């Protein structure tokens, strides 16, 4: 069974084709600048040289059509025809309250997804455009939707409600949803496997630390709380996002500076975070370098980031009534031993010890706590695409 995973953004599109008999990636790639001058497709077939296509791609349909051409091309392809693709799994950011699981798409469901889109106006519409384009090009191929919010739907109301008038939850569905769910689910399950333990007996904190970052408490395999909220702006300090702050700052800025909602939204999402504090970069590599050269605001940005992650780990350990493992994933979590070490400083009272030699690794699965550690520390590179492919396989098999 071959499954194509599509992650469509407004002007970009990532894809991976899996052979699900052994979960091998046959090819993957990225289309950039869809609808903008300079469209480019970078196709990476397994075991062959990468192939670059530079041609105008006015919309997602043209882009996906070129992806299918590359996948089935006699020289750079990995299949003979797109008919070999059993199903397509689409990543969708927001599933609202309705989707606590991945779903097989039907016409009605796609219409319902359009309705959920108002909760994620930046992220859901491009994914839906991707779905429509795929359906036009592969009308007989089953499609699924896998949501970033689903894994967090196990939270209790006490964790997901905001203390606003209850009517706003009823009328506008304002509540915590949480994001990066596919990643938190994958790394928590993988951590239990690596420790040869049953996830249903474990209390795990998963830290997805990339450009966007979030922490989740996973108790007995289920998310009980997560740091992102109604939108991905909440929780940790991020590359360019504020994370948690006093909401009165918003009304202060609007009243004192005369800024409108759009201006404040732009400030909080695009100009804040470690970029806003350091004035240098949103990229943690740049910040680590600048801080090591004595740049004080870069060091401050890093210290604020580490401190916030540390607080969330402590909070979720308290919420779960204990802690068995802390898992690090995504760009920074997987690749920066310095960041892991700084975050964990002061948390040793939980009962762990870092094995410095094992912690020195980058981008590999590793248990980096010492043998005797009561609480285990792990790096698990995330693999959201594989989770989407697995869910898609399961849904298609269940339907057959
Ligand atoms: P996204 O949220 O865009 O998917 P990623 O998970 O790819 O983000 O993470 C990107 C972040 O990870 C960047 O800030 C980058 O600096 C950081 N990162 C990647 N590699 C390293 C590294 N070797 N050391 C420190 N930070 C790293």
């Amino acid at each position: 069974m071959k499954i194509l995973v599509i992650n469509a953004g407004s002007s970009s599109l990532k894809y991976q084709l899996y052979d699900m008999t052994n979960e091998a990636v046959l090819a993957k790639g990225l289309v950039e600048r869809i609808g903008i001058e300079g469209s480019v497709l970078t196709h990476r077939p397994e075991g062959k040289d990468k192939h670059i296509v530079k041609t105008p791609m006015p919309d997602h349909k043209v882009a996906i059509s070129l992806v299918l051409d590359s996948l089935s091309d006699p020289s750079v392809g990995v299949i003979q025809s797109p008919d070999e693709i059993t199903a397509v799994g689409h990543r969708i950011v927001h599933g609202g309250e309705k989707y606590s699981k991945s779903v097989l798409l039907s016409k009605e469901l796609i219409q319902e997804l359009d309705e959920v889109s108002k909760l994620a106006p930046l992220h859901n519409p491009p994914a839906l455009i991707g779905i429509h384009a795929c359906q036009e090009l592969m009308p007989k191929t089953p499609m699924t939707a896998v949501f970033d919010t689903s894994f967090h739907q196990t939270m209790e109301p006490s964790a997901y409600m905001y203390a606003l008038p209850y009517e706003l939850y009823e009328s506008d569905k304002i509540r915590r949803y949480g994001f990066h769910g596919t990643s938190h689910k994958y790394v928590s399950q993988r951590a239990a496997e690596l420790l040869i333990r049953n996830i249903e007996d474990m209390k795990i904190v998963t830290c997805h630390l990339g450009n966007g970052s979030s922490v989740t408490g996973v108790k007995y395999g289920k998310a009980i709380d997560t740091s992102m909220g109604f939108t991905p702006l909440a929780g940790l300090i991020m590359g360019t996002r504020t994370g948690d702050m006093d909401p009165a700052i918003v009304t202060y800025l609007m009243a004192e500076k005369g800024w409108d909602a759009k201006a404040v939204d732009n400030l909080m999402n695009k100009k804040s975070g470690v970029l806003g504090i350091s004035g240098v970069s949103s990229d943690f590599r740049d910040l680590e370098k600048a801080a090591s050269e004595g740049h004080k605001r870069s060091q401050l940005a890093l210290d604020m980031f580490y401190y916030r992650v540390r607080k969330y780990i402590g909070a979720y350990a308290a919420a779960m009534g204990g802690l068995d493992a802390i898992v690090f994933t995504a760009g920074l979590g997987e690749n920066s031993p310095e960041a892991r070490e700084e975050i964990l400083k002061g948390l040793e009272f939980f009962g762990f010890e870092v094995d410095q030699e094992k912690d020195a690794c980058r981008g590999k699965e590793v248990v980096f706590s010492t043998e005797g550690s009561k609480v285990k520390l792990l790096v698990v590179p995330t693999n959201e695409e594989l989770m989407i492919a697995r869910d898609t396989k399961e849904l298609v098999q269940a339907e057959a």
Side-chain angles (χ1 to χ4, degrees), residues 19-76:
D19 180 349
M20 293 309 285
T21 44
N22 55 358
E23 296 189 337
V25 176
L26 299 174
K28 59 179 153 184
L30 168 69
V31 189
E32 290 163 289
R33 304 183 64 83
I34 302 172
I36 313 173
E37 203 180 319
S39 308
V40 56
L41 158 66
T42 309
H43 173 69
R44 297 173 190 276
E46 192 54 36
K48 296 183 191 173
D49 288 343
K50 78 171 177 202
H51 171 67
I52 293 175
V53 183
K54 284 186 180 164
T55 182
M57 297 182 214
D59 56 36
H60 286 67
K61 191 173 166 195
V62 175
I64 293 171
S65 159
L66 286 165
V67 168
L68 295 176
D69 287 351
S70 296
L71 287 170
S72 52
D73 183 86
S75 66
V76 297

Side-chain angles (χ1 to χ4, degrees), residues 8 24 28 111 166 193 198 242 266 268 287 295 307 337 355 365 370 391 394:
K28 59 179 153 184
Q111 212 158 29
Y166 195 84
E193 277 170 25
N198 186 348
T242 56
N266 190 45
M268 294 188 300
L287 296 175
H295 190 264
Y307 177 64
D355 180 328
E365 284 185 343
T370 56
D391 277 10
E394 215 173 280

Side-chain angles (χ1 to χ4, degrees), residues 210-212 282-285 288 330-332 335-336 362:
N211 192 27
S282 63
D283 191 303
F284 281 91
R285 281 166 291 203
E288 287 179 357
L332 181 71
N335 292 300
S336 177
R362 289 177 195 272

Side-chain angles (χ1 to χ4, degrees), residues 192-268:
E193 277 170 25
L194 290 168
L195 295 169
I196 321 176
R197 289 193 51 184
N198 186 348
I199 196 165
E200 281 162 24
D201 300 327
M202 292 187 74
K203 295 168 182 166
I204 305 173
V205 173
T206 50
C207 308
H208 179 112
L209 310 177
N211 192 27
S213 296
S214 64
V215 178
T216 297
V218 185
K219 186 178 184 181
Y220 309 146
K222 294 193 171 129
I224 58 111
D225 205 348
T226 191
S227 61
M228 282 179 167
F230 178 58
T231 75
L233 182 59
L236 300 181
I237 294 167
M238 306 182 215
T240 60
R241 296 185 204 138
T242 56
D244 295 341
M245 63 172 203
D246 184 339
I249 296 168
V250 174
T251 43
Y252 173 88
L253 290 173
M254 293 175 101
E256 291 298 315
K257 308 254 182 216
W259 293 350
D260 61 8
K262 207 167 158 199
V264 181
D265 186 71
N266 190 45
L267 175 91
M268 294 188 300

